[in-house]
């Protein structure tokens, strides 16, 4: 895989990541004291994957600016009171009071990454145009593990906009091995060579 590392920051990503990291650290700190790190992180991930991603109506209610903080708190109790660990439920209510519920996905992602870091693992996000088969995922995991000297946990995502290959994201750095990424790299290199040729020719004419 021909890889090109690119840092692609955006204002939106920066805010999402910052809020996610701050609240994820607070959640894991509280969960560590109660020996509930895995419970809290797994249940939060399940909330995103099994509830929010599958029910846009639920998400619309939870994030609605027309719904009061008190009503949302009662809604959380009604839906999760009998199923969710009290620590995580209390955490969601804190997010509600501070108007941070829209950042639940970012918090879940950061909490997963932080848990992996605490366990000596590295979380790597892999985006592909089609599902990555088990053999390919295992080969990629072993390659990354050998490169970084850590256990790797792959988080896979399907992105139809990728033109073949895959895009690997580790923290804020993107390793672009897609056809589209390679074409962009070739265009940048060609443009740089053309600029250099123009400068050389201009120098020769001036001498």
């Amino acid at each position: 895989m021909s890889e090109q590392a690119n840092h692609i920051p955006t204002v939106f990503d920066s805010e999402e990541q910052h809020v996610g990291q701050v609240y994820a650290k607070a959640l894991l700190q509280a969960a560590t004291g109660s020996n509930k790190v895995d419970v809290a992180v797994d249940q939060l991930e399940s909330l995103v994957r099994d509830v929010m991603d599958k029910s846009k109506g639920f998400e619309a209610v939870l994030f609605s600016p027309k719904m009061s903080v008190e009503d949302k708190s009662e809604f959380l109790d009604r839906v999760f009171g009998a199923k969710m660990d009290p620590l995580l439920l209390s955490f969601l209510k804190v997010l509600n009071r501070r108007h941070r519920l829209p950042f639940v996905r970012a918090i879940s992602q950061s909490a997963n990454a932080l848990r992996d870091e605490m366990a000596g693992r590295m979380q790597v996000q892999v985006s592909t145009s089609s599902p990555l088969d088990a053999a390919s995922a295992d080969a990629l995991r072993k390659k990354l593990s050998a490169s970084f000297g850590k256990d790797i946990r792959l988080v896979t995502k399907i992105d139809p906009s990728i033109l073949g290959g895959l895009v690997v994201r580790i923290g804020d750095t993107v390793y672009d091995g897609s056809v589209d990424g390679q074409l962009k790299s070739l265009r940048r290199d060609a443009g740089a060579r053309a600029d250099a040729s123009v400068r050389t020719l201009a120098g020769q004419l001036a001498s």
Side-chain angles (χ1 to χ4, degrees), residues 84-118:
M84 185 175 285
D85 187 88
L87 185 146
L88 182 58
L89 182 57
S90 295
F91 176 75
L92 292 178
K93 290 180 180 179
V94 170
L95 296 182
N96 177 39
R97 290 197 298 271
R98 298 185 179 181
H99 306 287
R100 290 293 186 266
L101 284 175
F103 295 94
V104 165
R105 283 189 174 83
I107 295 168
S108 177
Q109 182 177 338
S110 293
N112 258 306
L114 186 55
R115 176 175 61 173
D116 285 338
E117 183 181 328
M118 291 167 61

Side-chain angles (χ1 to χ4, degrees), residues 7-19 103 169:
H7 181 57
I8 310 178
T10 66
V11 173
F12 178 76
D13 284 343
S14 297
E15 183 183 10
E16 287 271 305
Q17 289 172 7
H18 174 70
V19 173
F103 295 94
R169 180 168 184 165

Side-chain angles (χ1 to χ4, degrees), residues 32-201:
T32 298
S34 304
N35 197 28
K36 292 183 176 180
V37 170
D38 286 333
V39 171
V41 176
D42 289 345
Q43 287 192 359
L44 185 60
E45 184 177 32
S46 178
L47 169 63
V48 173
R49 182 187 63 243
D50 301 324
V51 181
M52 292 171 57
D53 287 349
K54 294 181 179 180
S55 175
K56 297 303 178 184
F58 171 87
E59 188 171 346
V61 171
L62 201 61
F63 297 171
S64 173
K66 298 179 181 179
M67 194 172 179
S68 71
V69 170
E70 292 75 17
D71 286 342
K72 287 183 183 180
S73 182
E74 290 178 5
F75 175 74
L76 290 170
D77 276 329
R78 188 165 60 251
V79 176
F80 300 117
K83 305 174 184 177
M84 185 175 285
D85 187 88
L87 185 146
L88 182 58
L89 182 57
S90 295
F91 176 75
L92 292 178
K93 290 180 180 179
V94 170
L95 296 182
N96 177 39
R97 290 197 298 271
R98 298 185 179 181
H99 306 287
R100 290 293 186 266
L101 284 175
F103 295 94
V104 165
R105 283 189 174 83
I107 295 168
S108 177
Q109 182 177 338
S110 293
N112 258 306
L114 186 55
R115 176 175 61 173
D116 285 338
E117 183 181 328
M118 291 167 61
R121 293 188 299 266
M122 177 182 287
Q123 184 182 112
V124 177
Q125 298 176 52
V126 179
S127 298
T128 56
S129 56
S130 57
L132 199 62
D133 61 73
S136 298
D138 188 54
L140 177 60
R141 187 182 296 106
K142 289 178 179 177
K143 178 181 178 181
L144 291 169
S145 181
S147 297
F148 292 97
K150 289 187 176 183
D151 289 337
I152 300 296
R153 186 168 75 89
L154 294 183
V155 179
T156 59
K157 175 183 177 182
I158 306 302
D159 184 352
S161 68
I162 296 175
L163 302 181
L166 52 80
V167 175
V168 175
R169 180 168 184 165
I170 303 174
D172 293 335
T173 303
V174 175
Y175 298 86
D176 192 343
S178 67
V179 173
D180 186 46
Q182 292 174 33
L183 289 174
K184 289 178 180 177
S185 177
L186 287 172
R187 285 196 290 269
R188 285 195 298 269
D189 291 345
R193 286 196 298 272
D195 289 342
S197 297
V198 169
R199 288 194 297 271
T200 299
L201 179 58

